[in-house]
Amino acid sequence: MALTLHVPDPPARPGQASDFSYLRLQPAGQAPKPPIDATPQALSDYAYGLIRVLDDEGVAQGEWAHDMSLEQKHRALHIMMLTRVFDARMFHAQRQKKISFYVQAMGEEAIATAQALALNDDDMCFPSYRQHSLLLTRGVPLLDLMCQLYSNACDPLQGRQLPAMYSKREKGYYSMSGNLATRFLIGVGWAMASAIKGDTKIASSWIGDGATAEGDFQTALTFAHVYRAPIILNVVNNQWAISTFQAIAGGENNTFAARGLGTGLASLRVDGNDALACYAASKWAADRARANLGPTLIEWVSYRAGPHSTSDDPSKYRPDDEWASFPLGDPIERLKQHLITLGEWSEEQHEAAQEALLKEVLTAQKSAEEIGGAGMTAAIHSETIFEDVYAVMPEHLQRQRQEFEEGL
Amino acid sequence: MTVFATRSSIPTVSMTLGQAVRSALDVMLERDENVVLYGQDIGYFGGVFRCTDGLQQKYGKQRVFDAPISESGIVGTAIGMGAYGLRPVVEIQFADYFYPAMDQIVSELSRLRYRSAGDFTAPVTIRMPTGGGIFGGQTHSQSPEAIFVHVAGLRTVMPSNPYDAKGLLIASIESEDPVIFLEPKRLYNGPFDGYHDKPLESWRNHVDAEVPEGYYSLPLDKAAVVQEGNDLTVLSYGTMVHVAKAAAELTKLDVEVIDLRTLWPLDLATILHSVNKTGRCVIVHEATRTGGYGAELTALVQEHCFYALEAPILRVTGWDTPYPHAQEWDYFPVPKRLAAAYNAVMKEL
């Protein structure tokens, strides 16, 4: 018999009907909440199931339903809406050639927002793309972020980084970079350091489904397990890595949470579009880490509603209406529905909040543009490119800076 | 050199290069509670080259511990520890094994300060036994220093004797920059002048093996003129410093031998001063030639000393082949090959 190579395909390509029958689902409220000291082996079903709290009517169900306070729900909705409005404006700013590049979080806002609420503000996050809700939840001003996006004179990173590759130590947000999986592992080292020093802080690392194929992903799981590092290892499975369907990263007939099981980690698979589930699972994992019980791997099932970045065109590789038929819906709509069901929110309030957020974002954008931007005015002092390569500028860079200045 | 001026006043003990490395680690673990050590086999066992012998017993498992066999894991977690505020000193068991850590070294470690505009830094020291001469074959003999020198943001250091090893390692651990610390493994237990068929030499009674027991550090940007001379300048580092001196004895020439000690940032002034004096330059390293560190040194010397040069700059290096096993002494730049180059640059044009 001649062998054939299996190359996985997504269920649907442009022009075909969207099909999410491959997604393993589980009804809201069905998964019980285990004690935080449960052994990874006792939790093995959680790597294949799906922790969900909100049902299709927006009602919170089951044992994971009671963690989030009403105030936190309002706060989560606010940040998720802010993230989406901010993203839409900044995506547009790229189209207007005001900034060079942008990545938005549309469809995934619940995960980082809820986790930021479940963590302490001084816990350190090692983000990948699409976790800027962590910064917004922790109160970083919009203008601060926009100055980075515009690479203007007030950019804290002095124009050195692509837009959205923020760094914010004081807000527990590690320097973002465009290479993948490395920071997932670096977070484990930070968590190990916290344990070495007898600290109480924990870490939270982030990676997408696509980059789990990198060696550093598996290495991070191994180190986290070996040293019982106090960390939450987040895998955001948004189904797509640019044009690469999650099956190409190893998701076919398997879950990404299951990757943790073989390494001996507590591993959960959670509805990433359900803010209540996101909060409850994050809190469970954070409590576990803080109690010295070790790391937790969480696969967040979500959907990348927008293009990978401003340089991507998903209409070339997936059906246009895929998000509309995604069985886990839109995280903002679901939380909004939940609050309305509770009698704590209304369509009118939602609309008014939306308008107020847009105003807030536009005001910040106006201020950022008044300072300037790479796409408008060159506002960065060019000679700073030689700084911060070393703690103290060595002779060869002093010579090169002089060479550069003489050439001006 | 000024850094050697006070040596005679401090009580010293004789140490091998490996013992000097261990002593540096011991001193720094004692002085700075943020120093932690880990790597393959370095904990309970004390390392395959014994450079961490007894340190776990002395400082405990929280500060000196074994790591899984994963170079990217060792370096990646060290970056996280550095970002937290620790000063990790990690060991890659052989420099030949660092390749899986390359992404962490290049994309994260070397650039963290730059890309975050100083928001995050990671003062990590990565120790790696390097070089050949121990019949290690292609996976225990490589000299990858040029790869690190090419990466902006790293410091690359290679000592040639116990005294420098300890002082430079302490300075590396204290450095705010990430440091690649390459330890010539052929020198761990004794100096080596390139004559493999002679009896093994010991560091005992060697002037550079007299090492203070306590704290001292050496600057990370100063070369050493280890032998003064007027005919030609030899630029070298690590094991080849000893070979370069031995080769001079095969000639009747007055050879100046410079031990670079810190490959990058480089002490260019000492090099230029010497070549401007002698007008002739030979560069010696174990690593392969093409695109090797010698090429950079050649470029720098010709850029700055072109009008003082009396002859082409020559390189004596490992051949552009993988490091062979049984033919080690055909590959290794032995004194005879160096002496031929010394004589060649002396020919009148």
Side-chain angles (χ1 to χ4, degrees):
Chain A
M1 180 177 167
L3 298 169
T4 56
L5 183 72
H6 175 65
V7 181
D9 279 313
R13 287 298 192 184
Q16 298 176 323
S18 297
D19 177 8
F20 285 103
S21 56
Y22 70 86
L23 269 188
R24 297 156 186 253
L25 300 176
Q26 191 177 347
Q30 198 186 65
K33 190 173 175 182
I36 57 167
D37 60 355
T39 64
Q41 292 70 27
L43 295 168
S44 58
D45 287 350
Y46 288 83
Y48 296 98
L50 189 68
I51 296 170
R52 304 179 70 186
V53 172
L54 293 175
D55 67 15
D56 292 343
E57 278 69 51
V59 179
Q61 304 282 2
E63 294 177 13
W64 298 84
H66 314 294
D67 290 80
M68 209 174 188
S69 70
L70 183 60
E71 190 196 336
Q72 285 170 324
K73 290 173 187 173
H74 275 294
R75 177 110 179 99
L77 183 64
H78 175 82
I79 298 295
M80 289 160 66
M81 290 171 74
L82 173 60
T83 305
R84 191 168 296 182
V85 172
F86 181 86
D87 281 353
R89 286 305 305 173
M90 293 302 100
F91 195 88
H92 190 59
Q94 192 278 338
R95 292 297 186 240
Q96 294 174 306
K97 301 194 189 311
K98 290 174 172 177
I99 63 176
S100 62
F101 175 82
Y102 195 68
V103 280
Q104 52 181 345
M106 188 160 65
E108 304 169 32
E109 297 94 338
I111 308 164
T113 303
Q115 185 154 118
L117 291 170
L119 292 173
N120 294 339
D121 278 356
D122 56 0
D123 292 331
M124 186 64 79
C125 298
F126 294 79
S128 182
Y129 296 114
R130 299 179 234 291
Q131 279 86 49
H132 41 288
S133 300
L134 295 166
L135 291 168
L136 294 173
T137 309
R138 288 174 171 182
V140 176
L142 298 181
L143 180 59
D144 193 313
L145 301 183
M146 284 181 186
C147 288
Q148 196 281 324
L149 299 175
Y150 277 76
S151 297
N152 67 21
C154 294
D155 173 7
L157 306 183
Q158 303 187 4
R160 291 179 191 153
Q161 282 276 54
L162 268 181
M165 311 264 167
Y166 311 109
S167 175
K168 197 58 77 179
R169 185 187 180 92
E170 64 184 39
K171 294 293 181 184
Y173 193 92
Y174 185 75
S175 163
M176 176 52 194
S177 177
N179 55 307
L180 298 178
T182 44
R183 287 167 307 287
F184 195 71
L185 171 56
I186 290 171
V188 175
W190 195 97
M192 288 168 67
S194 187
I196 288 170
K197 297 304 279 184
D199 202 342
T200 57
K201 296 195 277 285
I202 65 170
S204 151
S205 273
W206 297 78
I207 200 168
D209 48 288
T212 61
E214 292 281 6
D216 276 0
F217 169 73
Q218 191 59 50
T219 303
L221 303 193
T222 300
F223 275 65
H225 173 64
V226 167
Y227 300 108
R228 215 173 288 170
I231 187 167
I232 306 175
L233 297 159
N234 298 282
V235 179
V236 179
N237 177 4
N238 66 12
Q239 316 304 319
W240 292 96
I242 308 187
S243 75
T244 306
F245 181 57
Q246 55 105 29
I248 291 285
E252 190 174 47
N253 301 322
N254 198 13
T255 71
F256 291 95
R259 305 275 291 275
L261 278 185
T263 320
L265 297 180
S267 305
L268 312 177
R269 187 166 172 269
V270 181
D271 180 349
N273 289 5
D274 174 345
L276 275 66
C278 291
Y279 179 88
S282 293
K283 187 76 172 50
W284 185 89
D287 288 348
R288 182 178 167 88
R290 238 180 276 283
N292 235 358
L293 295 165
T296 303
L297 175 74
I298 307 179
E299 174 186 351
W300 305 101
V301 181
S302 186
Y303 185 80
R304 195 196 75 210
H308 166 73
S309 73
T310 45
S311 308
D312 178 36
D313 176 9
S315 73
K316 295 276 197 288
Y317 53 79
R318 66 183 190 185
D320 282 337
D321 66 343
E322 220 179 40
W323 192 32
S325 56
F326 185 60
L328 301 178
D330 175 341
I332 293 181
E333 284 303 311
R334 287 177 68 192
L335 183 53
K336 169 188 154 192
Q337 188 56 42
H338 172 63
L339 285 166
I340 290 174
T341 307
L342 290 178
E344 298 288 346
W345 196 240
S346 68
E347 290 289 354
E348 295 71 32
Q349 281 173 301
H350 195 82
E351 227 166 86
Q354 182 80 11
E355 268 175 46
L357 288 170
L358 183 58
K359 246 182 226 165
E360 189 185 334
V361 169
L362 286 172
T363 305
Q365 189 177 10
K366 194 160 171 285
S367 305
E369 291 179 2
E370 278 166 12
I371 298 165
M376 298 180 296
T377 53
I380 298 288
H381 300 295
S382 303
E383 65 276 14
T384 62
I385 66 170
F386 298 98
E387 292 167 8
D388 294 327
V389 182
Y390 296 88
V392 177
M393 194 184 297
E395 227 176 79
H396 72 284
L397 285 176
Q398 291 176 30
R399 281 198 303 273
Q400 288 178 25
R401 182 171 67 175
Q402 192 185 343
E403 194 181 326
F404 167 75
E405 283 166 354
E406 283 165 359
L408 283 179
Chain B
M1 302 307 306
T2 51
V3 289
F4 291 96
T6 56
R7 279 175 76 174
S8 55
S9 59
I10 304 169
T12 60
V13 293
S14 180
M15 293 186 195
T16 67
L17 194 146
Q19 288 165 341
V21 166
R22 185 199 171 281
S23 176
L25 297 171
D26 190 6
V27 164
M28 289 312 293
L29 281 161
E30 182 79 47
R31 274 174 78 91
D32 183 350
E33 60 181 21
N34 287 324
V35 171
V36 295
L37 264 51
Y38 60 105
Q40 292 154 28
D41 300 305
I42 74 119
Y44 183 85
F45 175 58
V48 295
F49 291 105
R50 318 307 303 148
C51 291
T52 56
D53 190 23
L55 294 178
Q56 183 178 76
Q57 288 77 355
K58 188 168 174 186
Y59 296 98
K61 279 203 306 182
Q62 296 277 309
R63 296 186 63 200
V64 182
F65 52 90
D66 289 315
I69 302 175
S70 168
E71 290 74 19
S72 79
I74 291 168
V75 174
T77 51
I79 297 168
M81 289 185 198
Y84 177 93
L86 301 188
R87 283 187 186 273
V89 184
V90 294
E91 178 177 306
I92 301 296
Q93 197 161 75
F94 286 84
D96 314 65
Y97 300 163
F98 90 87
Y99 303 105
M102 195 58 176
D103 194 18
Q104 290 286 354
I105 292 172
V106 176
S107 309
E108 297 286 344
L109 180 63
S110 73
R111 300 180 195 163
L112 184 57
R113 177 191 299 279
Y114 188 77
R115 76 172 194 228
S116 72
D119 194 28
F120 285 92
T121 60
V124 174
T125 302
I126 306 177
R127 296 179 40 242
M128 305 184 198
T130 191
I134 61 152
F135 269 112
Q138 56 170 327
T139 53
H140 306 82
S141 307
Q142 293 168 56
S143 298
E145 64 273 9
I147 297 173
F148 303 115
V149 168
H150 190 60
V151 178
L154 298 177
R155 288 181 177 274
T156 302
V157 177
M158 197 191 301
S160 68
N161 62 63
Y163 179 81
D164 284 358
K166 180 171 174 181
L168 291 170
L169 181 54
I170 287 174
S172 298
I173 297 169
E174 290 184 324
S175 171
E176 297 305 320
D177 301 316
V179 181
I180 306 294
F181 194 84
L182 297 163
E183 298 166 7
K185 66 178 86 72
R186 176 66 210 230
L187 301 183
Y188 271 137
N189 295 316
F192 178 61
D193 58 12
Y195 294 106
H196 66 278
D197 40 7
K198 285 201 322 195
L200 286 177
E201 270 186 78
S202 147
W203 280 113
R204 188 158 285 283
N205 302 324
H206 194 287
V207 61
D208 294 324
E210 288 301 317
V211 178
E213 281 189 291
Y215 172 89
Y216 67 95
S217 76
L218 296 175
L220 289 181
D221 55 0
K222 287 282 174 283
V225 180
V226 295
Q227 178 175 304
E228 289 191 20
N230 288 306
D231 287 343
L232 74 142
T233 301
V234 179
L235 304 181
S236 193
Y237 47 89
T239 307
M240 297 315 296
V241 171
H242 304 269
V243 183
K245 283 161 70 178
E249 289 169 19
L250 296 178
T251 68
K252 296 189 172 79
L253 300 168
D254 188 20
V255 180
E256 180 143 301
V257 178
I258 296 181
D259 177 358
L260 300 180
R261 302 203 288 188
T262 61
L263 306 192
W264 207 260
L266 175 72
D267 179 5
L268 189 59
T270 297
I271 295 170
L272 302 188
H273 180 263
S274 175
V275 178
N276 281 327
K277 177 180 74 176
T278 63
R280 299 167 202 273
C281 182
V282 174
I283 296 161
V284 183
H285 59 59
E286 285 180 66
T288 49
R289 181 173 305 169
T290 304
Y293 187 45
E296 181 59 38
L297 293 170
T298 304
L300 286 168
V301 170
Q302 79 81 23
E303 276 169 24
H304 293 272
C305 304
F306 184 77
Y307 297 104
L309 285 172
E310 303 285 348
I313 302 160
L314 292 186
R315 288 174 287 169
V316 184
T317 68
W319 308 118
D320 282 349
T321 67
Y323 203 111
H325 179 233
Q327 307 87 343
E328 173 144 50
W329 304 113
D330 298 321
Y331 177 94
F332 190 94
V334 290
K336 210 167 74 178
R337 275 175 61 199
L338 274 63
Y342 297 177
N343 287 323
V345 296
M346 294 310 296
K347 283 193 187 129
E348 293 302 323
L349 290 175

